[in-house]
Every structure is written in structure tokens, then in C-alpha cells.
Amino acid sequence: MVAAGAATLLVVLAVAVVVSAHTFAVDLSLHDWLLEHRTAGLTSVASAVTATGASGVLVPVVFLAALVLGRGRWPGRLVQAAAVTAVLLVGIGLRLALVNLIARPRPPRSDWAGFAHGYAFPSGHTTTSALSAGLLIWLVLGRLTGVWRATVATVLACWALAVGMTRAYLGVHWPTDVLGGWLLALAWLSLAAAVVPGLLAPDVPPTGARPAQDAPAVQGSAGQLGSTGPTETGA
């Protein structure tokens, strides 16, 4: 349902940015406001943040994180890392197909405070960072517990939002390009969660509990191996 809802909103937004003068007027107004409020310090910070949203940076980061945060033995971790990376790459591919289909021009080049290429909608850095943050949060949910899990997930979500906002602030995307990137990432991640939840995030521990497979094994009264850890079910 989440995937369908996000995909529907994405289609509506895509049509609006192509045919609606009102949508462009809103974009232009926000774009001009951001240009008026630029400062040298903020531009430097935005440039540094936006650089972290490049696919060349995030694809290997997500793959390595999946290896480190994966569960079980190494062959299984490799499969999980490949699956997580495949979800990211397919999402990037969907974005490339959509951006070339819509072929929306970027803001005027004279307004740019950073590097960009290709068409505008949806934003590539926004989509890739949101996809990566979602997948990393997925992995974190399967390994961390308690306050650490909540903290890391919040930081990742805030980082993805920040990358998207820098694209509009730097003038290389219209604000609706950024919104489109977030909707595309949400739709694709929701669909992936429904199709391969066990492969991407197996045995998610509840808050404050230890993963069952990490609990030490002890001899039961009948001489058979048992576990002192609580019985859990994967989310």
C-alpha cells in the first residue's frame, strides 16, 4: 500500500511538473527564495553534504555495510550484500529511465553553485541518498538495539533529507525534483520490503533485546544444546 501510494503521488507530481504552469510557478518562487538566502558558509556546507549523495560513493558503501552488518556466515552475508546492492542499483536504474522519459530541464546554469548534468526530474542525488539511507536503516534494524538503533536510523534519515535539500539550495534542481526523488525512493524501497523482506533484513530484534542467534548455547538437562536467549521472530 505504501509503494502504491508513493508511486501514485510520483506519477501525479511528474504530470504536474510537465504540464502545470502553477507547479512551475511554485518551483520558481522557492528557487528564487533559496538563491536570495545563499551565503558562502552555507554553500560550502551544502557542497560537502551533496558530495556524499553521489552513486559512486554510495554503491560501494552500501555493499560494504551489508557485508559488515549482515547476519550469519560469510557466504550468506555475500548473498545479502549482493541483494541489498541490487535493490539500490535497480532503484538508480528506475530513476535514470524516469528522468530521461520526462526530460525536464534544470534551472538556469547561471544559478548553479555546484556541478550537475542531465535532466532534472527526479533528482539523482536525492534518490540515491534516500535509497541508500533506507537500505542502511534496514540493515541497522537487524543488528542494533535500543537507543543505538534509533539514533543511527535517525541520523541516516536526516542525512538523506539534507542531501536532497542541498540539491535545491545549490540551484541545480527545482524543489519538486527533490520531492520526486524522495517519492521514488519510498515507492521502490516499500516494494522491495514487501518482496524480499527476509533476505534484506532477517531476524530484526525488538528494541532492547539481543538477536537470538548471538545468544550463547548451553547444555540442557537432557544433554542437548539449548539457548539462554529469548525466542524471537523476525520482523
Side-chain angles (χ1 to χ4, degrees):
M1 291 179 64
V2 174
T8 300
L9 290 175
L10 177 62
V11 171
V12 171
L13 182 61
V15 172
V17 300
V18 172
V19 304
S20 173
H22 176 72
T23 301
F24 180 73
V26 173
D27 261 334
L28 187 60
S29 177
L30 291 172
H31 176 77
D32 289 342
W33 184 89
L34 289 170
L35 293 185
E36 292 171 3
H37 290 80
R38 273 188 192 163
T39 66
L42 283 176
T43 300
S44 296
V45 172
S47 297
V49 172
T50 207
T52 66
S55 59
V57 174
L58 291 176
V59 171
V61 165
V62 169
F63 178 78
L64 291 174
L67 281 179
V68 173
L69 297 174
R71 307 289 292 277
R73 298 181 182 276
W74 278 106
R77 290 192 181 195
L78 285 172
V79 171
Q80 182 179 351
V84 171
T85 307
V87 171
L88 175 58
L89 291 174
V90 172
I92 292 173
L94 290 173
R95 181 260 165 189
L96 288 172
L98 187 59
V99 77
N100 286 294
L101 175 65
I102 296 173
R104 186 188 196 190
R106 291 179 183 269
R109 195 177 187 90
S110 58
D111 294 341
W112 295 7
F115 173 77
H117 64 89
Y119 294 116
F121 183 93
S123 164
H125 280 66
T126 301
T127 305
T128 303
S129 60
L131 287 170
S132 299
L135 291 169
L136 292 172
I137 290 171
W138 218 334
L139 294 166
V140 165
L141 293 179
R143 291 301 289 172
L144 302 182
T145 60
V147 66
W148 280 108
R149 184 167 70 174
T151 300
V152 174
T154 300
V155 169
L156 287 169
C158 290
W159 162 75
L161 291 173
V163 171
M165 289 187 287
T166 63
R167 304 309 286 166
Y169 173 83
L170 293 172
V172 295
H173 277 288
W174 304 107
T176 48
D177 299 338
V178 175
L179 179 57
W182 287 332
L183 288 174
L184 175 58
L186 178 60
W188 177 236
L189 288 176
S190 299
L191 180 61
V195 173
V196 285
L199 184 60
L200 292 178
D203 302 325
V204 175
T207 301
R210 293 179 59 190
Q213 72 178 60
D214 295 335
V218 298
Q219 291 286 343
S221 58
Q224 297 180 342
L225 286 176
S227 173
T228 58
T231 301
E232 300 178 82
T233 57

